[in-house]
Amino acid sequence: MRPSDEQFRAAWPSVVRQLAAFAGSLDAGEELAAEAIARAVEQQRPIDDLVAWCTTVGRRLHVDAVRSRAAGERAMGELARRPPAEPASLGVDDDRYALLLVACDPVLGFASRLVVALRVVCGLPTARIAWHLGIDPRAASARLTRAKRALAAGAGRFEVPEGDARAERLPAVLECIAVVHAVSQRDALRPGAPADDLGRSALTLARAVQRAHPAEPEAEALLALVLLALARRPARFDAHGVALPLDEVDRSRWDRALLLAGLEHAAATAGTGGRFAIEASIAALHVAARSAAATDWVTISALHARLLAIRPSAAARAAAAIAQGHAALRAGTDPVEAEDALRALELEGSAASRRDATLALADLAWRSGRRVEAAERYAAIADELPASLAAFARRRIRES
């Protein structure tokens, strides 16, 4: 029986890591893994151990390639006998973490780290990476090529950092996972296939990093944030796949196991003061409310203000303005200040934050009773949205 898409997705990081260690190059490891998995897809016979099968095929492909270039049998014999470098303590989750540590090499800028993470760690095709990040596919491909060259030039051979070097890369690792999570929340809420499920990829990575750094509050807080988001995901759409606003969500559809796990981790890190601890507290307040109407927007708005002081990014500004607007509406006042902040983001933010700002302005206008204005804003942004959000925007336009 042919392995499932989920099995291929789970095998990818282990195969890449083992082949990269064997070939001495992340670039070569990825190419060998891609070819091995392509051959596995074509196999008619059952494959009992997909990782072992693909690793064996990849090693043979690499040996054959080196043999064709080898100057003598002596060098070839030494290479053929070399065992794959794979620490016994690392499983599938840890293989993803190991690859992410490699991707977060200081020789790379953040944008390059993220492209490598999405391609090599999450296994997304370059075209999908470009779509998720809102950049041209050629730019994504060029960025990936430059990043791999920089890694090869900087390290010489594929090597997973240990000790102090690993600890130094932890902030960059957490940041990459946070972006994977954010993209999953914005553009990949309804993945078409397991291989494109960035939400589950973020969870796998967050769990692996938290296990590797159990005393690090920010690693645990990020895990809480991802768990709480995935717990709420099943209820974010109606039966027709249309996205739902907070006040229409059926909370009984939330994943209770993920919810309780997320709340436990969020409680353990509350008050530690880090970025992810604050974000986890915000998410916990949302899910702890008995209903959307009971949401404590005043406290949530205050937490967003603290978060903005730590990290004044466009996304943080948008989230803070949205919370401020909801708090104003709850108090019975016009959300003027929040709308001014969102209009500023429409002019100067990134493509993603501009889109978020327009959506938020449309929602605030709708909730304030300015339905014509809301419809105009939804119409202006609908064609740029993922299908589920576009369907919601068009529903609001019809109802205005």
Side-chain angles (χ1 to χ4, degrees):
M1 180 182 295
R2 177 187 179 277
S4 67
D5 289 344
E6 179 64 24
Q7 288 173 312
F8 279 117
R9 186 187 74 84
W12 171 262
S14 292
V15 176
V16 171
R17 180 168 186 250
Q18 293 182 43
L19 292 177
F22 181 71
S25 162
L26 181 61
D27 195 15
E30 186 198 357
E31 291 182 2
L32 290 167
E35 177 61 27
I37 286 180
R39 295 190 181 195
V41 171
E42 298 172 353
Q43 271 294 304
Q44 299 300 316
R45 296 180 179 178
I47 299 175
D48 294 330
D49 187 331
L50 184 60
V51 171
W53 191 95
C54 289
T55 302
T56 300
V57 169
R59 288 182 66 198
R60 288 173 180 168
L61 289 169
H62 181 64
V63 169
D64 288 345
V66 173
R67 181 181 287 118
S68 68
R69 300 191 303 267
E73 290 296 323
R74 186 180 201 174
M76 188 56 234
E78 181 180 349
L79 176 65
R81 290 190 297 271
R82 188 173 71 200
E86 51 170 317
S89 62
L90 293 179
V92 170
D93 288 1
D94 297 295
D95 282 324
R96 285 178 176 267
Y97 174 43
L99 289 174
L100 190 53
L101 281 166
V102 174
C104 289
D105 192 304
V107 302
L108 301 182
F110 175 68
S112 295
R113 292 173 190 164
L114 184 57
V115 171
V116 173
L118 288 170
R119 175 69 191 104
V120 179
V121 183
C122 299
L124 286 187
T126 306
R128 294 296 294 166
I129 294 171
W131 183 83
H132 283 305
L133 299 183
I135 60 178
D136 186 272
R138 291 168 296 182
S141 181
R143 194 179 292 176
L144 181 64
T145 299
R146 289 195 300 269
K148 289 180 178 179
R149 286 175 180 169
L151 286 174
R157 282 190 56 80
F158 176 87
E159 184 177 352
V160 178
E162 299 288 345
D164 292 342
R166 177 175 294 193
E168 289 171 3
R169 296 188 189 187
L170 180 59
V173 166
L174 294 177
E175 183 67 26
C176 272
I177 297 172
V179 173
V180 173
H181 166 67
V183 173
S184 76
Q185 289 295 100
R186 181 182 290 117
D187 294 328
L189 279 169
R190 302 189 79 224
D196 200 29
D197 191 345
L198 292 184
R200 288 288 171 180
S201 292
L203 178 59
T204 299
L205 289 167
R207 277 178 168 158
V209 174
Q210 194 274 328
R211 279 199 294 268
H213 301 271
E216 173 52 55
E218 284 293 85
E220 184 170 8
L222 181 56
L223 175 58
L225 187 64
V226 176
L227 283 166
L228 292 173
L230 283 177
R232 299 162 68 187
R233 190 167 73 172
R236 296 191 68 167
F237 309 93
D238 66 14
H240 304 289
V242 179
L244 296 172
L246 285 173
D247 48 3
E248 295 182 23
V249 166
D250 178 1
R251 298 184 174 217
S252 68
R253 294 176 59 200
W254 287 352
D255 187 312
R256 185 170 177 78
L258 293 179
L259 196 71
L260 293 176
L263 287 172
E264 182 178 352
H265 288 298
T269 60
T272 55
R275 168 200 169 186
F276 298 122
I278 295 174
E279 291 187 6
S281 293
I282 291 169
L285 282 171
H286 276 292
V287 301
R290 292 180 178 274
S291 65
T295 303
D296 185 357
W297 283 109
V298 173
T299 302
I300 289 174
S301 183
L303 286 172
H304 273 293
R306 287 175 54 191
L307 186 60
L308 193 57
I310 295 174
R311 183 181 174 82
S313 65
R317 289 167 59 195
I322 292 168
Q324 185 181 34
H326 278 280
L329 289 172
R330 180 64 54 82
T333 60
D334 291 332
V336 177
E337 190 174 346
E339 291 180 334
D340 287 344
L342 290 167
R343 290 191 187 96
L345 278 173
E346 278 190 308
L347 298 175
E348 62 187 59
S350 64
S353 62
R354 288 198 302 270
R355 193 187 75 181
D356 292 347
T358 299
L359 274 174
L361 283 166
D363 184 64
L364 289 175
W366 178 275
R367 295 177 186 279
S368 299
R370 307 191 309 271
R371 298 297 173 88
V372 174
E373 177 187 339
E376 290 174 351
R377 288 193 175 277
Y378 282 125
I381 200 71
D383 290 341
E384 302 176 28
L385 301 174
S388 58
L389 282 173
F392 166 71
R394 294 187 178 102
R395 194 196 89 181
R396 281 263 169 106
I397 292 170
R398 291 194 301 271
E399 295 173 351
S400 63

